[in-house]
Amino acid sequence: IAWATTLNVYNTGPPVESDIPALLLKGTSTSNVVNAFAGSIGMALYGGETAVMATLTIYEASVWHRSGAITTINLMGGGSLFLDGSGAVTTVNLDGTGTITTLNAGNITTWNQRGASNSSITGSTTVTTLNLHAGTMSYAGGTITTLNVRAGTTIDFSRLKAALTITNANLYSPCTVNDPNKLVTWTN
């Protein structure tokens, strides 16, 4: 998609191959909007491709995004998103019961987890502000500048492989912080 487009995906057929989503997209317009209601969607999965967009909203779909900047990601329902590869993300909003998994996803400015979601950040992904209002976060990524963990929420650092420094932290009781390997350094 080379020009500004709003794409509403109401459903897709099943994938032809088990490891490749049914619908494959790529695009270069920073004004692109994708609303994924259901189905199996892959974005910029192959080398040299990019999928840049202003907004990606996921309801019950399964989405795999590999390359390209996204301004806002909204996970509203029980769908799933796998962010794998390069591309900055300005804001992530998890308001449903779905899951987001990131692997070397670049820089995320603000992550807001408000629904009963389970999420995972691994690899070199860095987060400037991580706000956990509900659900569980498994964190084995890069740096966190500001961490806010609300009551009833869990952040799990058990999969960390290297030391992690969190510059600013606000932990509201009763929340759960799991750091069995003592790899997290708390600055403030």
Side-chain angles (χ1 to χ4, degrees):
I1 306 169
W3 55 90
T5 300
T6 296
L7 177 64
N8 294 314
V9 180
Y10 293 103
N11 207 345
T12 66
V16 175
E17 298 178 40
S18 63
D19 58 343
I20 299 174
L23 176 63
L24 300 177
L25 302 172
K26 58 184 176 179
T28 56
S29 173
T30 58
S31 297
N32 286 335
V33 173
V34 175
N35 297 305
F37 294 96
S40 168
I41 303 166
M43 299 179 172
L45 296 188
Y46 299 105
E49 293 182 344
T50 189
V52 176
M53 63 195 75
T55 305
L56 170 61
T57 301
I58 301 167
Y59 295 91
E60 302 298 325
S62 174
V63 178
W64 178 8
H65 183 274
R66 187 164 237 171
S67 177
I70 305 172
T71 304
T72 302
I73 296 172
N74 300 305
L75 184 61
M76 306 302 290
S80 65
L81 171 63
F82 183 61
L83 283 173
D84 173 21
S86 64
V89 176
T90 304
T91 304
V92 173
N93 297 308
L94 282 84
D95 292 310
T97 58
T99 60
I100 292 183
T101 302
T102 70
L103 175 62
N104 299 322
N107 298 322
I108 299 171
T109 305
T110 304
W111 183 291
N112 299 306
Q113 184 166 317
R114 293 178 289 259
S117 300
N118 293 311
S119 55
S120 171
I121 295 178
T122 58
S124 60
T125 304
T126 64
V127 180
T128 304
T129 302
L130 181 56
N131 298 310
L132 301 177
H133 299 275
T136 300
M137 160 69 74
S138 174
Y139 197 90
T143 62
I144 300 173
T145 304
T146 301
L147 173 64
N148 298 301
V149 182
R150 302 291 178 195
T153 302
T154 299
I155 185 152
D156 182 5
F157 296 108
S158 64
R159 294 178 42 220
L160 277 175
K161 303 290 186 226
L164 169 68
T165 298
I166 298 175
T167 307
N168 303 299
N170 297 296
L171 308 175
Y172 298 91
S173 181
C175 68
T176 302
V177 177
N178 185 17
D179 182 20
N181 303 314
K182 307 295 184 224
L183 290 172
V184 178
T185 300
W186 306 88
T187 305
N188 293 320

PDB file of all heavy atoms in Angstrom, residues 133-136 149-154 172-176:
ATOM      1  N   HIS A 133      -1.430  -1.904  34.122  1.00  0.00           N
ATOM      2  CA  HIS A 133      -2.621  -1.689  34.948  1.00  0.00           C
ATOM      3  C   HIS A 133      -3.348  -2.991  35.241  1.00  0.00           C
ATOM      4  O   HIS A 133      -4.165  -3.052  36.151  1.00  0.00           O
ATOM      5  CB  HIS A 133      -3.585  -0.722  34.260  1.00  0.00           C
ATOM      6  CG  HIS A 133      -2.992   0.628  34.036  1.00  0.00           C
ATOM      7  ND1 HIS A 133      -2.991   1.607  34.989  1.00  0.00           N
ATOM      8  CD2 HIS A 133      -2.354   1.153  32.958  1.00  0.00           C
ATOM      9  CE1 HIS A 133      -2.395   2.684  34.519  1.00  0.00           C
ATOM     10  NE2 HIS A 133      -1.997   2.436  33.292  1.00  0.00           N
ATOM     11  N   ALA A 134      -3.089  -4.035  34.454  1.00  0.00           N
ATOM     12  CA  ALA A 134      -3.749  -5.322  34.614  1.00  0.00           C
ATOM     13  C   ALA A 134      -2.964  -6.384  33.856  1.00  0.00           C
ATOM     14  O   ALA A 134      -2.147  -6.067  32.995  1.00  0.00           O
ATOM     15  CB  ALA A 134      -5.189  -5.258  34.096  1.00  0.00           C
ATOM     16  N   GLY A 135      -3.209  -7.641  34.178  1.00  0.00           N
ATOM     17  CA  GLY A 135      -2.596  -8.735  33.447  1.00  0.00           C
ATOM     18  C   GLY A 135      -1.180  -9.038  33.896  1.00  0.00           C
ATOM     19  O   GLY A 135      -0.735  -8.638  34.970  1.00  0.00           O
ATOM     20  N   THR A 136      -0.465  -9.745  33.025  1.00  0.00           N
ATOM     21  CA  THR A 136       0.888 -10.205  33.313  1.00  0.00           C
ATOM     22  C   THR A 136       1.817  -9.817  32.174  1.00  0.00           C
ATOM     23  O   THR A 136       1.463  -9.961  31.010  1.00  0.00           O
ATOM     24  CB  THR A 136       0.912 -11.734  33.491  1.00  0.00           C
ATOM     25  OG1 THR A 136       0.050 -12.085  34.573  1.00  0.00           O
ATOM     26  CG2 THR A 136       2.312 -12.246  33.767  1.00  0.00           C
ATOM     27  N   VAL A 149       3.718  -0.226  37.838  1.00  0.00           N
ATOM     28  CA  VAL A 149       3.023  -1.502  38.018  1.00  0.00           C
ATOM     29  C   VAL A 149       1.912  -1.294  39.038  1.00  0.00           C
ATOM     30  O   VAL A 149       2.180  -1.012  40.203  1.00  0.00           O
ATOM     31  CB  VAL A 149       3.982  -2.619  38.475  1.00  0.00           C
ATOM     32  CG1 VAL A 149       3.235  -3.945  38.594  1.00  0.00           C
ATOM     33  CG2 VAL A 149       5.152  -2.761  37.513  1.00  0.00           C
ATOM     34  N   ARG A 150       0.667  -1.432  38.609  1.00  0.00           N
ATOM     35  CA  ARG A 150      -0.502  -1.205  39.466  1.00  0.00           C
ATOM     36  C   ARG A 150      -0.830  -2.451  40.286  1.00  0.00           C
ATOM     37  O   ARG A 150      -0.398  -3.557  39.971  1.00  0.00           O
ATOM     38  CB  ARG A 150      -1.722  -0.817  38.617  1.00  0.00           C
ATOM     39  CG  ARG A 150      -1.512   0.406  37.783  1.00  0.00           C
ATOM     40  CD  ARG A 150      -1.422   1.644  38.639  1.00  0.00           C
ATOM     41  NE  ARG A 150      -1.175   2.802  37.785  1.00  0.00           N
ATOM     42  CZ  ARG A 150      -0.778   3.948  38.241  1.00  0.00           C
ATOM     43  NH1 ARG A 150      -0.580   4.132  39.523  1.00  0.00           N
ATOM     44  NH2 ARG A 150      -0.564   4.948  37.415  1.00  0.00           N
ATOM     45  N   ALA A 151      -1.623  -2.263  41.310  1.00  0.00           N
ATOM     46  CA  ALA A 151      -2.062  -3.354  42.179  1.00  0.00           C
ATOM     47  C   ALA A 151      -2.728  -4.454  41.364  1.00  0.00           C
ATOM     48  O   ALA A 151      -3.478  -4.179  40.432  1.00  0.00           O
ATOM     49  CB  ALA A 151      -3.021  -2.814  43.240  1.00  0.00           C
ATOM     50  N   GLY A 152      -2.425  -5.696  41.706  1.00  0.00           N
ATOM     51  CA  GLY A 152      -3.033  -6.832  41.035  1.00  0.00           C
ATOM     52  C   GLY A 152      -2.343  -7.247  39.745  1.00  0.00           C
ATOM     53  O   GLY A 152      -2.800  -8.156  39.065  1.00  0.00           O
ATOM     54  N   THR A 153      -1.263  -6.595  39.403  1.00  0.00           N
ATOM     55  CA  THR A 153      -0.556  -6.843  38.147  1.00  0.00           C
ATOM     56  C   THR A 153       0.771  -7.545  38.434  1.00  0.00           C
ATOM     57  O   THR A 153       1.366  -7.360  39.482  1.00  0.00           O
ATOM     58  CB  THR A 153      -0.302  -5.511  37.419  1.00  0.00           C
ATOM     59  OG1 THR A 153      -1.562  -4.879  37.200  1.00  0.00           O
ATOM     60  CG2 THR A 153       0.369  -5.708  36.091  1.00  0.00           C
ATOM     61  N   THR A 154       1.236  -8.337  37.463  1.00  0.00           N
ATOM     62  CA  THR A 154       2.486  -9.069  37.626  1.00  0.00           C
ATOM     63  C   THR A 154       3.465  -8.682  36.531  1.00  0.00           C
ATOM     64  O   THR A 154       3.101  -8.651  35.351  1.00  0.00           O
ATOM     65  CB  THR A 154       2.247 -10.588  37.563  1.00  0.00           C
ATOM     66  OG1 THR A 154       1.364 -10.963  38.615  1.00  0.00           O
ATOM     67  CG2 THR A 154       3.554 -11.364  37.666  1.00  0.00           C
ATOM     68  N   TYR A 172       2.759  -0.367  42.921  1.00  0.00           N
ATOM     69  CA  TYR A 172       1.604  -0.157  43.785  1.00  0.00           C
ATOM     70  C   TYR A 172       1.161  -1.502  44.365  1.00  0.00           C
ATOM     71  O   TYR A 172       0.874  -2.439  43.636  1.00  0.00           O
ATOM     72  CB  TYR A 172       0.463   0.498  43.003  1.00  0.00           C
ATOM     73  CG  TYR A 172       0.858   1.858  42.483  1.00  0.00           C
ATOM     74  CD1 TYR A 172       1.434   2.004  41.223  1.00  0.00           C
ATOM     75  CD2 TYR A 172       0.675   2.994  43.256  1.00  0.00           C
ATOM     76  CE1 TYR A 172       1.812   3.249  40.747  1.00  0.00           C
ATOM     77  CE2 TYR A 172       1.043   4.245  42.788  1.00  0.00           C
ATOM     78  CZ  TYR A 172       1.622   4.360  41.532  1.00  0.00           C
ATOM     79  OH  TYR A 172       2.004   5.596  41.068  1.00  0.00           O
ATOM     80  N   SER A 173       1.123  -1.580  45.675  1.00  0.00           N
ATOM     81  CA  SER A 173       0.802  -2.808  46.383  1.00  0.00           C
ATOM     82  C   SER A 173      -0.691  -3.102  46.288  1.00  0.00           C
ATOM     83  O   SER A 173      -1.503  -2.178  46.327  1.00  0.00           O
ATOM     84  CB  SER A 173       1.213  -2.647  47.839  1.00  0.00           C
ATOM     85  OG  SER A 173       0.948  -3.817  48.556  1.00  0.00           O
ATOM     86  N   PRO A 174      -1.075  -4.357  46.157  1.00  0.00           N
ATOM     87  CA  PRO A 174      -0.230  -5.536  46.032  1.00  0.00           C
ATOM     88  C   PRO A 174       0.003  -5.908  44.564  1.00  0.00           C
ATOM     89  O   PRO A 174      -0.891  -6.397  43.890  1.00  0.00           O
ATOM     90  CB  PRO A 174      -1.033  -6.620  46.738  1.00  0.00           C
ATOM     91  CG  PRO A 174      -2.466  -6.244  46.444  1.00  0.00           C
ATOM     92  CD  PRO A 174      -2.476  -4.731  46.372  1.00  0.00           C
ATOM     93  N   CYS A 175       1.176  -5.651  44.067  1.00  0.00           N
ATOM     94  CA  CYS A 175       1.574  -6.110  42.736  1.00  0.00           C
ATOM     95  C   CYS A 175       2.640  -7.183  42.938  1.00  0.00           C
ATOM     96  O   CYS A 175       3.164  -7.353  44.037  1.00  0.00           O
ATOM     97  CB  CYS A 175       2.084  -4.968  41.876  1.00  0.00           C
ATOM     98  SG  CYS A 175       3.649  -4.263  42.414  1.00  0.00           S
ATOM     99  N   THR A 176       2.963  -7.890  41.866  1.00  0.00           N
ATOM    100  CA  THR A 176       3.966  -8.943  41.953  1.00  0.00           C
ATOM    101  C   THR A 176       5.117  -8.624  41.009  1.00  0.00           C
ATOM    102  O   THR A 176       4.897  -8.355  39.829  1.00  0.00           O
ATOM    103  CB  THR A 176       3.353 -10.309  41.572  1.00  0.00           C
ATOM    104  OG1 THR A 176       2.254 -10.574  42.440  1.00  0.00           O
ATOM    105  CG2 THR A 176       4.379 -11.421  41.680  1.00  0.00           C
TER     106      THR A 176
END
